[in-house]
Amino acid sequence: MLFSASRRFVFIAVPKTGSSAINNHLVSVDPSIKRNQVLDENGVWQKVHTHITAAEVRRIMGSRADHYTFIAFLRRPQDVLRSKYFFYANGRPAISFDHRKIG
């Protein structure tokens, strides 16, 4: 999740949509963008989860959210499923999994 007070946008990081690459690029373009932080309705910074939902961010921001543009990317469900399959079959979880622990 990215928050830009100066550019007035919130980028919601949806899993398996390339959001990590987008996050990294946006922060490289504008280092003032906050990662996993949002201004609450009182103007106080609140830490939030990377994959927080837009509804949760809006609840934290209160009426302040009406002045921000919310951005997110989605993928077709079939593509998400395929991506997750290959991630778990070949990615970090597959590498760190200890197969000897299976009976």
Side-chain angles (χ1 to χ4, degrees):
M1 199 268 346
L2 297 179
F3 184 93
S4 176
S6 62
R7 297 173 189 263
R8 298 214 177 262
F9 76 81
V10 177
F11 177 72
I12 302 297
V14 179
K16 299 297 175 201
T17 60
S19 60
S20 294
I22 296 164
N23 280 346
N24 293 337
H25 179 72
L26 289 173
V27 170
S28 74
V29 170
D30 183 355
S32 71
I33 293 174
K34 302 284 189 183
R35 191 183 299 255
N36 302 332
Q37 295 181 52
V38 63
L39 280 174
D40 68 14
E41 59 188 330
N42 299 315
V44 177
W45 288 106
Q46 300 292 326
K47 289 186 178 183
V48 296
H49 187 270
T50 300
H51 296 297
I52 190 170
T53 66
E56 291 171 312
V57 172
R58 285 185 175 281
R59 184 186 54 74
I60 293 168
M61 292 179 71
S63 61
R64 182 185 298 269
D66 296 339
H67 305 287
Y68 283 76
T69 299
F70 282 71
I71 304 164
F73 292 95
L74 303 175
R75 288 174 78 178
R76 292 181 331 144
Q78 302 91 320
D79 293 337
V80 172
L81 184 60
R82 187 177 300 113
S83 175
K84 285 182 180 182
Y85 170 79
F86 286 109
F87 177 75
Y88 288 111
N90 304 308
R92 189 173 49 230
I95 294 167
S96 64
F97 183 72
D98 187 354
H99 296 281
R100 294 172 293 176
K101 291 184 180 177
I102 298 177

